[in-house]
Amino acid sequence: MARQDDEEVVVVERQGSFIVPFLWGLGIGAALGLLFAPMKGSELRSEIAARGRRLRDYAGEKAEEIEEAIAAGYQRARGKVEEGIETARRSVKEGKEYARDVAEASRAAATTAREELERRLAEAREARRGRSSGEEEPVA
């Protein structure tokens, strides 16, 4: 029995923008419409020039819109990057503060432990001196 999973699958991906082919089609359609229109040659040339100017203006407007969209996207991305950098800086600062607090607490604990050890050592020495001078150690 053949398995269905062994069949090959072909995926087609489209790349690029639809704007450029659309503008080409618009221009070619307009030119063909003018060429087949019943006009005098001078009228046709002036009509072609007028439509060319309108097409150029339209393309300029679309280019400005695209430029604005790209600039807005750039600003959003820049804002997110700056926000990420600020978050990282805060995290580093908090980490340094935490490390400093831990180091201070460790020093304080070490100092307390040392003082306690020195106190007990002094008591043990005193007790030893007392036994060696004939005093007996109190029984608890």
Side-chain angles (χ1 to χ4, degrees):
M1 186 186 291
R3 291 180 45 189
Q4 296 291 335
D5 296 338
D6 292 340
E7 293 181 18
E8 292 185 19
V9 177
V10 177
V11 177
V12 178
E13 294 183 20
R14 291 181 49 174
Q15 294 181 355
S17 173
F18 67 91
I19 295 174
V20 174
F22 173 75
L23 291 177
W24 273 104
L26 185 68
I28 291 171
L32 287 174
L34 290 175
L35 289 175
F36 290 108
M39 289 185 190
K40 290 179 165 180
S42 60
E43 291 175 355
L44 179 61
R45 285 189 294 274
S46 66
E47 184 66 24
I48 289 173
R51 288 190 183 200
R53 284 189 295 274
R54 285 194 301 256
L55 183 61
R56 184 184 63 220
D57 294 342
Y58 178 75
E61 291 171 8
K62 289 300 173 185
E64 287 176 10
E65 289 175 13
I66 291 170
E67 183 179 341
E68 290 172 2
I70 290 172
Y74 171 77
Q75 290 300 327
R76 281 192 306 273
R78 182 178 178 158
K80 288 182 180 181
V81 168
E82 288 175 352
E83 182 180 312
I85 290 171
E86 187 59 34
T87 301
R89 284 182 181 154
R90 276 193 306 262
S91 296
V92 167
K93 183 179 178 182
E94 290 171 0
K96 285 181 180 179
E97 290 173 0
Y98 180 75
R100 186 183 63 239
D101 292 345
V102 167
E104 288 175 6
S106 298
R107 277 193 291 270
T111 301
T112 303
R114 182 177 180 178
E115 290 171 353
E116 178 66 19
L117 183 60
E118 287 175 353
R119 184 185 62 77
R120 287 184 181 184
L121 186 58
E123 287 175 358
R125 285 182 185 151
E126 286 297 320
R128 189 172 181 192
R129 283 189 202 133
R131 278 192 306 218
S132 62
S133 32
E135 297 179 15
E136 286 194 21
E137 186 177 330
V139 177

